Amino acid sequence: MPRKYDLHAHSTASDGTLTPSELVALAAARGVEVLALTDHDTLEGLAEARTAAEAADLSLLPGVEISVTWGGRSVHIVGLGVASRNETLREGLAGLRAYRHRRAEEIGRRLAGAGIAGALEGAREFSNGRLIGRTHFARFLIQRGYAANEREVFKHYLVKGKPGHVPGEWACLEAAVGWIRGAGGRAVIAHPGRYGFSRAKLLRLIGQFRELGGVGIEVVSSSHTRDESLLFARYARENRLLASVGSDFHGPQNPWARLGELAPLPAFCTPIWADWEER
Ligand code: AMP
Ligand code: MN
Ligand code: MN
Ligand code: MN
């Protein structure tokens, strides 16, 4: 029997709504055997998740999802199997979180300019004093009735051309891949279907990523159609990259991304776990 993997999920350490322990318990209940916790720009949830995973008899892979600016857009690079004590990785992520706080202040100012008062404070409450992101602004705006759900609120308030948009100034690709490799992890391009890149631009990203030592691409993701998964599986094979699978689960409130519910990888690609030791 193939094991059940979900290698991309969030907790309250970033913009998920379940605590690391709740996430692990849900994964175990859904029959996930190997789970990667991949919070945005933080390793904060890993210790709690590790303890919970031991109790639940599930393999926890320590991970992270690093925010990168590449080709004028925000791109996410997942690191799998990173050593959470690694100082260079920790410092790099701390820099991104500091930027997140500056960006949040600017988002708050811009929303105030559009007549929406108190957004920074509201978003901070949703983040519980931890890492802050656009999702926390989204939850505040929904609470105040500006939109019915997260998709709508992003579309009308938080993306390019909308009042709360601030262009990201994240890590460069080289730094992100370097931090992950330096911490003993494997770098994976997250949800390649989400960037709105042309094929040529995506292939440029893949080429540079590979030269820098990146090894994988998320082929199966809740945000991909079956056709997209097949295309990215081909790109993985043609570029000798390993294929990863991840729900990008953020909590039960988002019905489009359910923990552990993932389509199988196309048979012609090499899974990122192909050479992992059995427990
Ligand atoms: P940030 O890293 O703070 O810029 O926020 C990015 C996060 O916002 C992503 O990881 C998603 O959780 C969420 N997000 C981005 N775009 C959308 C969207 N269109 N609908 C719902 N959530 C989104
Ligand atoms: Mn997120
Ligand atoms: Mn992402
Ligand atoms: Mn994610």
Side-chain angles (χ1 to χ4, degrees), residues 43 62-68 76-84 86 88-90 92-93 172-190 209 212-216 272:
L43 307 168
V64 64
E65 181 175 16
I66 302 182
S67 308
V68 163
H76 288 171
I77 303 296
V78 160
L80 296 175
V82 292
S84 52
N86 184 274
T88 309
L89 173 63
R90 295 180 76 86
L93 299 179
C172 68
L173 184 65
E174 182 174 7
V177 174
W179 298 336
I180 291 166
R181 295 181 72 197
R186 289 184 167 185
V188 174
I189 298 174
F209 173 75
L212 293 168
V215 296
I272 195 149

Side-chain angles (χ1 to χ4, degrees), residues 10 14-16 40 65 76 135 248 250:
H10 297 271
S14 66
D15 59 356
H40 298 286
E65 181 175 16
H76 288 171
T135 313
D248 206 2
H250 281 71

Side-chain angles (χ1 to χ4, degrees), residues 31-43:
V32 173
E33 289 159 280
V34 183
L35 172 73
L37 175 60
T38 57
D39 274 308
H40 298 286
D41 306 325
T42 184
L43 307 168

Side-chain angles (χ1 to χ4, degrees), residues 15 30-31 37 39 47 55 83 93 113 116 143 192-193 252-254 268 272 278:
D15 59 356
R30 297 261 168 95
L37 175 60
D39 274 308
L93 299 179
I116 301 171
Q143 183 197 48
Q253 73 282 359
N254 293 343
F268 61 81
I272 195 149
E278 281 299 309

Side-chain angles (χ1 to χ4, degrees), residues 8-273:
H8 188 154
H10 297 271
S11 76
T12 47
S14 66
D15 59 356
T17 54
L18 300 186
T19 65
S21 310
E22 289 166 343
L23 177 76
V24 166
L26 182 62
R30 297 261 168 95
V32 173
E33 289 159 280
V34 183
L35 172 73
L37 175 60
T38 57
D39 274 308
H40 298 286
D41 306 325
T42 184
L43 307 168
E44 208 57 50
L46 293 175
E48 182 184 323
R50 191 174 296 123
T51 307
E54 277 163 19
D57 193 28
L58 167 153
S59 280
L60 180 90
L61 198 59
V64 64
E65 181 175 16
I66 302 182
S67 308
V68 163
T69 298
W70 184 88
R73 302 270 180 90
S74 295
V75 164
H76 288 171
I77 303 296
V78 160
L80 296 175
V82 292
S84 52
R85 289 172 310 279
N86 184 274
E87 267 312 310
T88 309
L89 173 63
R90 295 180 76 86
E91 279 168 21
L93 299 179
L96 292 176
R97 293 195 299 274
Y99 168 66
R100 280 182 173 279
H101 285 285
R102 295 196 300 276
R103 182 188 68 154
E105 287 172 1
E106 182 60 23
I107 294 175
R109 274 193 291 274
R110 294 193 187 188
L111 288 173
I116 301 171
L120 177 61
E121 294 69 26
R124 277 200 180 126
E125 264 178 50
F126 277 100
S127 77
N128 285 315
R130 288 183 288 261
L131 170 140
I132 190 156
R134 282 185 296 164
T135 313
H136 302 113
F137 282 90
R139 292 182 187 139
F140 163 80
L141 291 166
I142 292 166
Q143 183 197 48
R144 292 297 162 93
Y146 287 98
N149 57 53
E150 286 186 14
R151 283 213 164 140
E152 287 296 304
V153 87
F154 268 87
K155 194 164 105 189
H156 295 294
Y157 294 94
L158 298 170
V159 298
K160 201 168 178 178
K162 300 300 168 179
H165 181 255
V166 178
E169 293 169 25
W170 304 110
C172 68
L173 184 65
E174 182 174 7
V177 174
W179 298 336
I180 291 166
R181 295 181 72 197
R186 289 184 167 185
V188 174
I189 298 174
H191 45 59
R194 291 246 331 240
Y195 306 127
F197 288 161
S198 66
R199 289 188 179 202
K201 190 164 177 181
L202 182 55
L203 288 172
R204 249 188 338 268
L205 170 66
I206 289 173
Q208 287 184 19
F209 173 75
R210 211 177 163 281
E211 272 179 27
L212 293 168
V215 296
I217 176 164
E218 220 167 63
V219 166
V220 170
S221 161
S222 304
S223 57
H224 293 164
T225 63
R226 193 63 193 154
D227 282 350
E228 284 176 318
S229 291
L230 280 170
L231 179 68
F232 302 141
R234 263 188 36 218
Y235 288 173
R237 189 181 55 175
E238 286 163 6
N239 293 279
R240 282 167 291 135
L241 289 172
L242 302 169
S244 189
V245 303
S247 62
D248 206 2
F249 179 78
H250 281 71
Q253 73 282 359
N254 293 343
W256 61 83
R258 293 169 58 82
L259 189 64
E261 281 185 21
L262 288 158
L265 271 179
F268 61 81
C269 42
T270 308
I272 195 149
W273 54 81

